[in-house]
Amino acid sequence: MDSTGSEGAGGAGEGQAAPGREHWSSRAGFVLAAIGSAVGLGNMWRFSYLTAENGGAAFVVLYIAVTLLVGLPVMLAELVVGRGAQRSPVRALVHFGGERWSLLGLVFVAAGFLILAYYSVIAGWTVRYALTILFGGFGPEGLGSAVPGAESGQALGAAMGARFAEIAEGPVAFAYHLAFMACTVGIVAGGVKAGIERTSLVLMPLLFLLVCGLAVYAGTLKGAGAGYAYYLHTDFSEVLSREVLTEAAGQAFFSLSLGMGAILTYGSYLGRDAHLPNSSLMIAGADMGIAFIAGLVVFPMIFALGLSEAVGASTVGALFITLPQAFAQMGGVGRVMGTLFFVVLVFGALTSAISLLEVVVSSSMDGLGWTRRRSALVMGGAIALLGIPAAWSTEVLGVMDGVANNLFLLTGGLALSLFVGWVMPNPLGEAEVGAQGVRWFFLWRFLLRFVVPAVLGFVLLDAIPDTFRSVADLFSAKPG
Ligand code: PHE
């Protein structure tokens, strides 16, 4: 670290530590980048599915409650630690808590490795789907089966399922994963302003417009009403279980990018004039909003084409089998809408992947003294290799996802809330910087000290054994 002090053009502020640390060029740049991190495959891939499976509108209510009472406090905690320390996760935790807290920082970095490795594989599928639909590859000919009349829905579904299996696993899946990782590495190597911020500034508004446009179009389809009814049927009896609470908490952490230092890292590029509570609210609000709107795209389309039966099978099923089938059955419009839909997914995945890699890269810059380019290349390369098993087996991918969510993010969030609630000196003072006049910080600390640990502890007691079982099953699975 040898360069001179930074001034944070555009008022993003002076970092008191770590001279030469890059800063966002504007507050909007930061907020869009953080929304970019939050909005991703989680919003489109899982939220709508979980909602439909677990009580519909009742699940949405539970999800909002979990986001406000558990997610939001942890997000503010990450921002407070990151902005206060002006350092990457490992160094930031050591700065406020002493050497032994480096362990938690290392867990964050490990989570970044693990999540990006499989996340990028799924992102690779979305790229391939966008291209395949654009070039008509999911038309009847492309699917390899003559699929004539309406009664062929099932044949088309089967062909699409087979096509998914072929796209999801194997050398080509790996190649798409590599290409996606290369893009991610290129952007992160470009730096905070010129790489991350600029990408988000372009992609996030586009993504938002596209999702809204798709939702409006979906609403015009005949039969859309049945889709809304399925998505938002209200059944409170379905949400009153520990499993559903676990799903909601895991989804909230994954979707808000919490529990592994991504938001902390982005916060470390903020100046002292940033209003952290307002930023947290905007990020969480945008993330929930887009997840909700994505459901208004997915379900009307599926139901308009009478494919509701096919939804239940699995989360990937809805997104990668049923929905493309719906697009295929729509003909020419479907080709346009389908391409746009998967382009949205690609944009969301890219801005999220960037934040995952940034956690690892900023840590190796701070910790090992590497340059940004070298960190991005070496760490990105290592993550690409770690993705190999996920690119060869969706089952392995599913287990990696479970481990990441249930073990890493939830325990990471639990540890961080205890850290800021009980260990960090004067978190309230740090949170107040740039946010004078906010009166509920004591409530924030109360949530961090008691409510967040209680909820996450309760959820983890159940999630940890389940996750270990799934890992054990994977290793003991014998063919035949
Ligand atoms: N929030 C991202 C999504 O919803 C995934 C993510 C998780 C990104 C953790 C960064 C950190 O897709």
Side-chain angles (χ1 to χ4, degrees):
M1 299 286 110
D2 51 358
S3 36
T4 48
S6 71
E7 324 148 323
E14 353 71 40
Q16 86 281 41
R21 190 173 192 78
E22 222 189 324
H23 282 92
W24 305 104
S25 61
S26 68
R27 226 186 103 197
F30 157 70
V31 172
L32 280 178
I35 293 176
S37 169
V39 172
L41 297 171
N43 301 59
M44 256 72 71
W45 169 42
R46 226 175 15 204
F47 177 78
S48 45
Y49 171 80
L50 283 176
T51 303
E53 285 290 289
N54 295 307
F59 182 82
V60 176
V61 172
L62 174 72
Y63 183 75
I64 293 176
V66 170
T67 297
L68 293 179
L69 292 177
V70 181
L72 213 51
V74 173
M75 178 173 294
L76 185 53
E78 289 207 18
L79 289 177
V80 163
V81 172
R83 199 234 353 226
Q86 296 284 303
R87 289 166 169 83
S88 63
V90 183
R91 291 290 191 88
L93 289 165
V94 171
H95 177 72
F96 284 122
E99 232 9 271
R100 70 176 120 151
W101 283 91
S102 65
L103 183 64
L104 179 59
L106 291 172
V107 171
F108 286 170
V109 174
F113 253 88
L114 176 70
I115 298 177
L116 186 50
Y118 74 84
Y119 196 83
S120 163
V121 172
I122 305 172
W125 304 346
T126 64
V127 174
R128 186 143 173 224
Y129 268 83
L131 292 173
T132 310
I133 297 180
L134 177 66
F135 293 111
F138 285 155
E141 321 80 46
L143 285 169
S145 50
V147 205
E151 79 287 343
S152 65
Q154 244 176 350
L156 187 57
M160 193 62 81
R163 204 53 205 283
F164 169 66
E166 181 196 307
I167 286 179
E169 300 178 333
V172 185
F174 179 63
Y176 274 87
H177 155 67
L178 271 189
F180 185 85
M181 277 305 299
C183 241
T184 309
V185 165
I187 294 169
V188 169
V192 176
K193 273 199 246 256
I196 301 174
E197 185 174 335
R198 209 164 44 182
T199 308
S200 314
L201 228 46
V202 176
L203 295 189
M204 294 321 289
L206 271 176
L207 179 147
F208 185 71
L209 286 177
L210 285 174
V211 178
C212 290
L214 285 166
V216 170
Y217 169 74
T220 66
L221 295 172
K222 227 173 88 215
Y228 296 136
Y230 177 74
Y231 180 29
L232 296 173
H233 73 282
T234 307
D235 187 346
F236 277 95
S237 72
E238 286 178 37
V239 299
L240 298 173
S241 78
R242 188 175 188 165
E243 284 91 61
V244 177
L245 182 63
T246 306
E247 299 269 31
Q251 172 66 13
F253 270 69
F254 186 83
S255 189
L256 294 168
S257 305
L258 296 175
M260 49 81 60
I263 298 295
L264 191 162
T265 306
Y266 276 12
S268 76
Y269 305 125
L270 276 172
R272 300 191 66 75
D273 55 349
H275 196 296
L276 302 183
N278 278 358
S279 300
S280 312
L281 281 168
M282 276 191 266
I283 300 162
D287 187 63
M288 283 194 285
I290 293 189
F292 184 74
I293 298 172
L296 299 179
V297 177
V298 172
F299 290 103
M301 291 205 180
I302 289 175
F303 275 77
L305 289 144
L307 299 176
S308 48
E309 239 104 280
V311 181
S314 71
T315 58
V316 281
L319 196 56
F320 290 103
I321 300 173
T322 314
L323 209 55
Q325 185 186 345
F327 293 130
Q329 291 187 4
M330 281 178 207
V333 196
R335 230 164 109 177
V336 178
M337 296 299 157
T339 307
L340 291 178
F341 181 83
F342 280 98
V343 164
V344 166
L345 284 175
V346 173
F347 287 178
L350 188 59
T351 48
S352 298
I354 294 169
S355 71
L356 286 162
L357 184 58
E358 182 62 19
V359 171
V360 180
V361 164
S362 70
S363 300
S364 61
M365 287 167 69
D366 274 7
L368 307 174
W370 289 5
T371 63
R372 174 170 281 281
R373 283 190 71 184
R374 176 166 178 203
S375 305
L377 272 172
V378 174
M379 296 300 173
I383 292 169
L385 292 181
L386 188 64
I388 293 178
W392 254 271
S393 151
T394 48
E395 200 190 334
V396 173
L397 189 152
V399 171
M400 286 168 85
D401 182 47
V403 169
N405 264 290
N406 297 338
L407 294 184
F408 280 92
L409 299 187
L410 294 178
T411 43
L414 175 63
L416 192 85
S417 66
L418 294 174
F419 178 78
V420 175
W422 297 98
V423 177
M424 179 179 170
N426 195 18
L428 296 187
E430 184 53 50
E432 268 162 19
V433 174
Q436 291 78 14
V438 173
R439 302 210 178 287
W440 45 265
F441 283 127
F442 70 92
L443 176 65
W444 170 60
R445 187 162 66 176
F446 175 79
L447 290 171
L448 281 182
R449 284 190 161 175
F450 304 104
V451 177
V452 176
V455 173
L456 291 183
F458 176 72
V459 155
L460 275 166
L461 280 180
D462 179 58
I464 290 178
D466 276 0
T467 311
F468 278 117
R469 219 168 296 129
S470 75
V471 175
D473 285 350
L474 186 69
F475 284 109
S476 65
K478 303 219 166 38

Short mmCIF file of all heavy atoms in Angstrom, two decimals, residues 32 39 201-217 290 293 297 337 340-341 343-344 347:
data_model
loop_
_atom_site.label_atom_id
_atom_site.label_comp_id
_atom_site.label_asym_id
_atom_site.label_seq_id
_atom_site.Cartn_x
_atom_site.Cartn_y
_atom_site.Cartn_z
N LEU A 32 -26.58 1.41 -6.64
CA LEU A 32 -26.86 0.53 -7.78
C LEU A 32 -25.97 -0.71 -7.77
O LEU A 32 -26.41 -1.81 -8.09
CB LEU A 32 -26.67 1.29 -9.10
CG LEU A 32 -27.83 2.17 -9.50
CD1 LEU A 32 -27.52 2.92 -10.78
CD2 LEU A 32 -29.11 1.34 -9.68
N VAL A 39 -29.71 -8.26 -6.34
CA VAL A 39 -30.64 -8.79 -7.35
C VAL A 39 -29.89 -9.74 -8.26
O VAL A 39 -28.91 -9.36 -8.89
CB VAL A 39 -31.23 -7.64 -8.20
CG1 VAL A 39 -32.03 -8.19 -9.36
CG2 VAL A 39 -32.09 -6.75 -7.33
N LEU A 201 -24.20 0.55 -13.26
CA LEU A 201 -24.89 1.76 -13.71
C LEU A 201 -25.63 1.50 -15.03
O LEU A 201 -26.68 2.08 -15.28
CB LEU A 201 -23.86 2.86 -13.91
CG LEU A 201 -24.12 4.24 -13.33
CD1 LEU A 201 -24.60 4.17 -11.90
CD2 LEU A 201 -22.84 5.09 -13.40
N VAL A 202 -25.08 0.66 -15.85
CA VAL A 202 -25.71 0.35 -17.14
C VAL A 202 -26.72 -0.78 -16.99
O VAL A 202 -27.87 -0.69 -17.44
CB VAL A 202 -24.64 -0.04 -18.18
CG1 VAL A 202 -25.30 -0.46 -19.49
CG2 VAL A 202 -23.68 1.12 -18.40
N LEU A 203 -26.30 -1.86 -16.33
CA LEU A 203 -27.13 -3.07 -16.35
C LEU A 203 -28.35 -2.99 -15.43
O LEU A 203 -29.41 -3.52 -15.77
CB LEU A 203 -26.30 -4.30 -15.97
CG LEU A 203 -25.18 -4.67 -16.95
CD1 LEU A 203 -24.59 -6.02 -16.57
CD2 LEU A 203 -25.71 -4.73 -18.38
N MET A 204 -28.24 -2.33 -14.29
CA MET A 204 -29.36 -2.39 -13.34
C MET A 204 -30.60 -1.65 -13.84
O MET A 204 -31.70 -2.20 -13.76
CB MET A 204 -28.95 -1.91 -11.94
CG MET A 204 -27.96 -2.81 -11.25
SD MET A 204 -28.26 -4.57 -11.51
CE MET A 204 -29.73 -4.80 -10.54
N PRO A 205 -30.46 -0.44 -14.36
CA PRO A 205 -31.68 0.20 -14.90
C PRO A 205 -32.30 -0.62 -16.04
O PRO A 205 -33.53 -0.76 -16.10
CB PRO A 205 -31.17 1.56 -15.41
CG PRO A 205 -29.93 1.82 -14.61
CD PRO A 205 -29.31 0.47 -14.37
N LEU A 206 -31.44 -1.18 -16.89
CA LEU A 206 -31.96 -2.01 -17.98
C LEU A 206 -32.73 -3.21 -17.43
O LEU A 206 -33.82 -3.54 -17.90
CB LEU A 206 -30.79 -2.55 -18.82
CG LEU A 206 -30.33 -1.69 -19.99
CD1 LEU A 206 -29.10 -2.32 -20.63
CD2 LEU A 206 -31.46 -1.59 -21.01
N LEU A 207 -32.13 -3.84 -16.45
CA LEU A 207 -32.77 -5.02 -15.85
C LEU A 207 -34.15 -4.64 -15.30
O LEU A 207 -35.13 -5.34 -15.54
CB LEU A 207 -31.87 -5.57 -14.74
CG LEU A 207 -32.35 -6.80 -13.98
CD1 LEU A 207 -31.17 -7.66 -13.57
CD2 LEU A 207 -33.15 -6.45 -12.75
N PHE A 208 -34.19 -3.52 -14.62
CA PHE A 208 -35.44 -3.10 -14.01
C PHE A 208 -36.52 -2.86 -15.08
O PHE A 208 -37.65 -3.35 -14.96
CB PHE A 208 -35.20 -1.84 -13.18
CG PHE A 208 -36.41 -1.40 -12.43
CD1 PHE A 208 -36.86 -2.13 -11.34
CD2 PHE A 208 -37.11 -0.27 -12.81
CE1 PHE A 208 -37.98 -1.73 -10.64
CE2 PHE A 208 -38.24 0.13 -12.12
CZ PHE A 208 -38.67 -0.60 -11.03
N LEU A 209 -36.13 -2.16 -16.12
CA LEU A 209 -37.10 -1.89 -17.19
C LEU A 209 -37.58 -3.18 -17.84
O LEU A 209 -38.77 -3.37 -18.11
CB LEU A 209 -36.46 -1.00 -18.26
CG LEU A 209 -36.29 0.46 -17.87
CD1 LEU A 209 -35.59 1.23 -18.99
CD2 LEU A 209 -37.66 1.08 -17.58
N LEU A 210 -36.65 -4.08 -18.09
CA LEU A 210 -37.02 -5.34 -18.74
C LEU A 210 -37.96 -6.16 -17.88
O LEU A 210 -38.95 -6.71 -18.37
CB LEU A 210 -35.76 -6.15 -19.07
CG LEU A 210 -34.94 -5.65 -20.26
CD1 LEU A 210 -33.64 -6.44 -20.39
CD2 LEU A 210 -35.75 -5.78 -21.55
N VAL A 211 -37.65 -6.27 -16.58
CA VAL A 211 -38.52 -7.07 -15.71
C VAL A 211 -39.93 -6.48 -15.69
O VAL A 211 -40.92 -7.21 -15.79
CB VAL A 211 -37.97 -7.14 -14.27
CG1 VAL A 211 -38.91 -7.92 -13.39
CG2 VAL A 211 -36.63 -7.80 -14.25
N CYS A 212 -40.00 -5.16 -15.57
CA CYS A 212 -41.33 -4.54 -15.53
C CYS A 212 -42.05 -4.77 -16.86
O CYS A 212 -43.24 -5.10 -16.88
CB CYS A 212 -41.21 -3.06 -15.23
SG CYS A 212 -40.69 -2.75 -13.54
N GLY A 213 -41.34 -4.60 -17.96
CA GLY A 213 -41.95 -4.82 -19.26
C GLY A 213 -42.47 -6.24 -19.41
O GLY A 213 -43.61 -6.47 -19.87
N LEU A 214 -41.67 -7.20 -18.97
CA LEU A 214 -42.09 -8.59 -19.06
C LEU A 214 -43.32 -8.85 -18.20
O LEU A 214 -44.22 -9.60 -18.60
CB LEU A 214 -40.95 -9.52 -18.64
CG LEU A 214 -39.81 -9.70 -19.66
CD1 LEU A 214 -38.60 -10.35 -19.00
CD2 LEU A 214 -40.27 -10.54 -20.85
N ALA A 215 -43.35 -8.23 -17.02
CA ALA A 215 -44.50 -8.45 -16.13
C ALA A 215 -45.78 -7.89 -16.77
O ALA A 215 -46.84 -8.51 -16.69
CB ALA A 215 -44.26 -7.79 -14.77
N VAL A 216 -45.65 -6.73 -17.42
CA VAL A 216 -46.82 -6.14 -18.08
C VAL A 216 -47.27 -7.06 -19.21
O VAL A 216 -48.45 -7.39 -19.35
CB VAL A 216 -46.49 -4.73 -18.62
CG1 VAL A 216 -47.61 -4.23 -19.52
CG2 VAL A 216 -46.24 -3.77 -17.46
N TYR A 217 -46.32 -7.53 -20.00
CA TYR A 217 -46.69 -8.43 -21.09
C TYR A 217 -47.36 -9.68 -20.54
O TYR A 217 -48.41 -10.11 -21.04
CB TYR A 217 -45.46 -8.81 -21.92
CG TYR A 217 -45.76 -9.92 -22.88
CD1 TYR A 217 -46.52 -9.66 -24.03
CD2 TYR A 217 -45.37 -11.23 -22.62
CE1 TYR A 217 -46.86 -10.69 -24.91
CE2 TYR A 217 -45.70 -12.26 -23.49
CZ TYR A 217 -46.44 -11.99 -24.62
OH TYR A 217 -46.79 -13.00 -25.46
N ILE A 290 -37.99 -6.45 -6.86
CA ILE A 290 -37.70 -7.16 -8.10
C ILE A 290 -38.03 -8.65 -7.97
O ILE A 290 -38.53 -9.27 -8.91
CB ILE A 290 -36.25 -6.92 -8.54
CG1 ILE A 290 -36.14 -5.43 -8.91
CG2 ILE A 290 -35.87 -7.81 -9.72
CD1 ILE A 290 -34.87 -5.01 -9.56
N ILE A 293 -41.75 -8.85 -8.45
CA ILE A 293 -42.17 -8.65 -9.84
C ILE A 293 -41.78 -9.84 -10.71
O ILE A 293 -42.51 -10.22 -11.61
CB ILE A 293 -41.56 -7.34 -10.40
CG1 ILE A 293 -42.06 -6.14 -9.59
CG2 ILE A 293 -41.94 -7.14 -11.86
CD1 ILE A 293 -41.37 -4.84 -9.94
N VAL A 297 -43.95 -12.29 -13.49
CA VAL A 297 -43.59 -12.68 -14.85
C VAL A 297 -43.75 -14.19 -15.01
O VAL A 297 -44.39 -14.68 -15.94
CB VAL A 297 -42.12 -12.30 -15.18
CG1 VAL A 297 -41.74 -12.78 -16.57
CG2 VAL A 297 -41.91 -10.80 -15.04
N MET A 337 -39.64 -12.71 -26.01
CA MET A 337 -39.81 -12.63 -24.55
C MET A 337 -38.83 -13.55 -23.84
O MET A 337 -38.26 -13.21 -22.80
CB MET A 337 -41.25 -13.01 -24.15
CG MET A 337 -42.29 -12.06 -24.68
SD MET A 337 -42.01 -10.39 -24.05
CE MET A 337 -42.82 -9.42 -25.28
N LEU A 340 -35.37 -12.06 -23.86
CA LEU A 340 -35.29 -10.95 -22.90
C LEU A 340 -35.26 -11.46 -21.47
O LEU A 340 -34.50 -10.98 -20.63
CB LEU A 340 -36.47 -9.99 -23.09
CG LEU A 340 -36.44 -9.20 -24.40
CD1 LEU A 340 -37.68 -8.30 -24.50
CD2 LEU A 340 -35.18 -8.36 -24.51
N PHE A 341 -36.11 -12.47 -21.20
CA PHE A 341 -36.15 -13.01 -19.85
C PHE A 341 -34.78 -13.54 -19.43
O PHE A 341 -34.28 -13.25 -18.34
CB PHE A 341 -37.20 -14.12 -19.75
CG PHE A 341 -37.31 -14.70 -18.36
CD1 PHE A 341 -38.09 -14.06 -17.40
CD2 PHE A 341 -36.64 -15.86 -18.01
CE1 PHE A 341 -38.19 -14.58 -16.12
CE2 PHE A 341 -36.73 -16.38 -16.73
CZ PHE A 341 -37.51 -15.74 -15.78
N VAL A 343 -31.92 -12.76 -20.73
CA VAL A 343 -30.97 -11.65 -20.66
C VAL A 343 -31.05 -10.97 -19.29
O VAL A 343 -30.03 -10.63 -18.69
CB VAL A 343 -31.25 -10.64 -21.80
CG1 VAL A 343 -30.56 -9.31 -21.53
CG2 VAL A 343 -30.78 -11.21 -23.13
N VAL A 344 -32.26 -10.82 -18.77
CA VAL A 344 -32.43 -10.28 -17.43
C VAL A 344 -31.66 -11.13 -16.42
O VAL A 344 -30.94 -10.62 -15.55
CB VAL A 344 -33.92 -10.22 -17.03
CG1 VAL A 344 -34.09 -9.99 -15.55
CG2 VAL A 344 -34.63 -9.13 -17.83
N PHE A 347 -27.90 -10.50 -16.72
CA PHE A 347 -27.51 -9.23 -16.11
C PHE A 347 -27.47 -9.35 -14.58
O PHE A 347 -26.54 -8.91 -13.93
CB PHE A 347 -28.49 -8.11 -16.49
CG PHE A 347 -28.37 -7.64 -17.92
CD1 PHE A 347 -29.23 -6.66 -18.41
CD2 PHE A 347 -27.41 -8.17 -18.77
CE1 PHE A 347 -29.13 -6.21 -19.71
CE2 PHE A 347 -27.30 -7.73 -20.09
CZ PHE A 347 -28.17 -6.74 -20.56
#
